[in-house]
Amino acid sequence: MPESPSSNMASKQYCPKCESFNLKRLQRGYFKRVILKRPIAYICRECHTEVSELEIMKNEVREVPLFISYG
């Protein structure tokens, strides 16, 4: 069993502008997804920046902060 809890993982999914892990995937309707072929995008809840999936893939891997302490 690992020393650190499972909630303390490495991830690339953070905002490149403010480096917050608070991202939400934007919902695309049929028109945007099929007809316009709009790529998958996320919005940062901290700085309200729209981030594409390609930008997230360019991020370096960082450790997600541990919010719950086990003691």
Side-chain angles (χ1 to χ4, degrees):
M1 185 168 213
E3 290 282 326
S4 63
S6 62
S7 63
N8 198 11
M9 297 185 278
S11 175
K12 284 184 155 189
Q13 290 195 339
Y14 60 89
C15 177
K17 185 176 178 183
C18 69
E19 298 185 353
S20 168
F21 285 95
N22 197 1
L23 294 176
K24 182 180 186 319
R25 185 173 170 171
L26 292 175
Q27 296 296 319
R28 303 172 297 159
Y30 177 80
F31 184 75
K32 289 181 182 177
R33 186 178 66 243
V34 176
I35 297 172
L36 296 178
K37 298 188 191 286
R38 188 167 178 193
I40 297 171
Y42 295 85
I43 189 160
C44 177
R45 292 182 177 175
E46 300 291 325
C47 65
H48 305 289
T49 304
E50 190 172 319
V51 182
S52 72
E53 192 174 45
L54 296 174
E55 291 176 46
I56 290 176
M57 295 310 267
K58 293 178 185 175
N59 285 344
E60 294 182 20
V61 177
R62 288 187 44 214
E63 194 169 299
V64 179
L66 181 62
F67 295 108
I68 302 171
S69 63
Y70 295 93

